[in-house]
Amino acid sequence: MKNKLYVLALAAMSILVSSCEEDYKLYDTKQTDSVFFNYVDVKDNKVKSEIDYSFGYDIAQEHLIKIPVNLMGMPKDNVRKIDLHVVTDKSDMKEGVNYAIERAEIAPNQVVDTVVLKLLRDKDPEIQNTQKQLTLAIVDNGELRPTGQDTITVKYSDIRPTTRPDWWSTWANIPEYSFENAQLFFKYFYELMPKANKVVFDEMIAAYGDYFVKAKSMQGPFAMYDAVLYKYVLIPMYNDTKNTIKWQGVPSVN
């Protein structure tokens, strides 16, 4: 009986040692760690390899694209640079004219980080007529190597909607439509509305999207939220611009 127990104990130890050896091979700290893009589109909650952005009515001259990256390997206590290569046959953006890479690294002791790409608006007039794109690929730099989703494509433009959108009312007491007037409206909207009534502001963004990209004429912002828009956005805007832009009527709260 004692001999049988001794044999069983040896077998168990042999399995344990073998298992430890296999685990050690799996997590070999001498191997080069890997990194991959992990961008998830908030619209459909799916991982994407392509990002589209249009400046639209935004008044900003630059826009930051934040692209999550994941480490496959062991975190370390030092910064590790992610080397990015422009795929030239899939890119027509120029660095310093259309974009700048603001950040590309894994921070100390982290397994998730963000590549930050700055899109530039005012240096290339061509983006007002056409969309441009940039494809970046992660390349091996001896410390981090690519794996999985190792490329990302960013497309952007500044094609300006000169035609009045459906939701821009022709009967409300708002300015006559022009791209510049709509851009000015959103400047006031984004600066004043969250301070005045954050709950309603969040409702409107949820219903109509940023810069009202999902808004329609029926049950649009000027039909459903006219009172709050007049009070907190249009009246202050009118007081500041009544002598410089043309209005369809004087906004007031009944």
Side-chain angles (χ1 to χ4, degrees):
M1 184 66 178
K2 287 182 179 180
N3 288 339
K4 183 182 285 189
L5 289 174
Y6 180 72
V7 170
L8 289 173
L10 284 176
M13 287 178 65
S14 175
I15 292 170
L16 181 60
V17 169
S18 174
S19 175
C20 289
E21 286 178 353
E22 290 302 314
D23 288 346
Y24 175 78
K25 290 176 183 177
L26 248 166
Y27 298 101
D28 184 357
T29 56
K30 294 179 181 179
Q31 67 183 355
T32 303
D33 292 333
S34 304
V35 67
F36 60 94
F37 292 113
N38 192 26
Y39 176 78
V40 178
D41 192 327
V42 294
K43 293 179 182 178
D44 55 18
N45 201 35
K46 293 181 180 179
V47 176
K48 300 285 188 179
S49 60
E50 188 174 291
I51 302 168
D52 288 306
Y53 180 76
S54 173
F55 276 96
Y57 295 116
D58 193 350
I59 63 171
Q61 296 303 304
E62 55 190 43
H63 178 74
L64 295 181
I65 298 286
K66 298 181 179 180
I67 310 166
V69 288
N70 285 42
L71 177 73
M72 184 175 288
M74 302 297 291
K76 294 185 179 179
D77 59 3
N78 61 287
V79 173
R80 285 184 282 179
K81 183 182 177 184
I82 301 170
D83 278 7
L84 299 173
H85 168 74
V86 176
V87 182
T88 54
D89 62 342
K90 296 182 179 179
S91 305
D92 56 5
M93 288 194 208
K94 295 179 181 178
E95 188 169 10
V97 176
N98 303 107
Y99 76 95
I101 297 174
E102 294 285 282
R103 186 175 188 279
E105 61 187 34
I106 299 290
N109 304 310
Q110 299 298 312
V111 295
V112 177
D113 214 313
T114 306
V115 166
V116 180
L117 185 73
K118 180 193 290 184
L119 299 178
L120 307 175
R121 185 180 201 175
D122 60 345
K123 299 181 185 301
D124 183 4
E126 289 183 4
I127 63 171
Q128 293 187 23
N129 302 307
T130 187
Q131 186 183 65
K132 293 199 170 183
Q133 77 172 43
L134 171 72
T135 297
L136 294 172
I138 300 170
V139 294
D140 193 333
N141 62 7
E143 189 171 31
L144 290 174
R145 60 186 176 87
T147 190
Q149 183 62 53
D150 60 354
T151 64
I152 194 81
T153 296
V154 176
K155 298 181 178 181
Y156 91 127
S157 68
D158 189 21
I159 299 172
R160 303 180 174 188
T162 55
T163 303
R164 179 183 66 83
D166 290 344
W167 55 264
W168 188 276
S169 174
T170 56
W171 51 261
N173 293 330
I174 61 176
E176 290 188 349
Y177 179 77
S178 69
F179 171 80
E180 292 75 17
N181 286 349
Q183 197 177 43
L184 187 60
F185 165 78
F186 281 114
K187 178 180 184 294
Y188 278 78
F189 175 79
Y190 280 104
E191 287 182 1
L192 300 181
M193 194 66 199
K195 300 174 185 175
N197 194 322
K198 185 67 164 58
V199 172
V200 174
F201 172 80
D202 290 341
E203 283 180 9
M204 295 181 72
I205 296 301
Y208 305 124
D210 288 329
Y211 299 98
F212 299 168
V213 294
K214 298 187 293 184
K216 304 296 181 184
S217 56
M218 297 299 294
Q219 296 185 339
F222 292 121
M224 304 300 293
Y225 293 91
D226 59 337
V228 71
L229 285 173
Y230 283 158
K231 182 175 181 180
Y232 297 123
V233 179
L234 292 169
I235 291 175
M237 182 179 170
Y238 175 81
N239 290 335
D240 291 343
T241 65
K242 58 187 174 184
N243 297 320
T244 57
I245 66 175
K246 191 170 182 180
W247 286 71
Q248 297 177 130
V250 178
S252 62
V253 179
N254 297 329

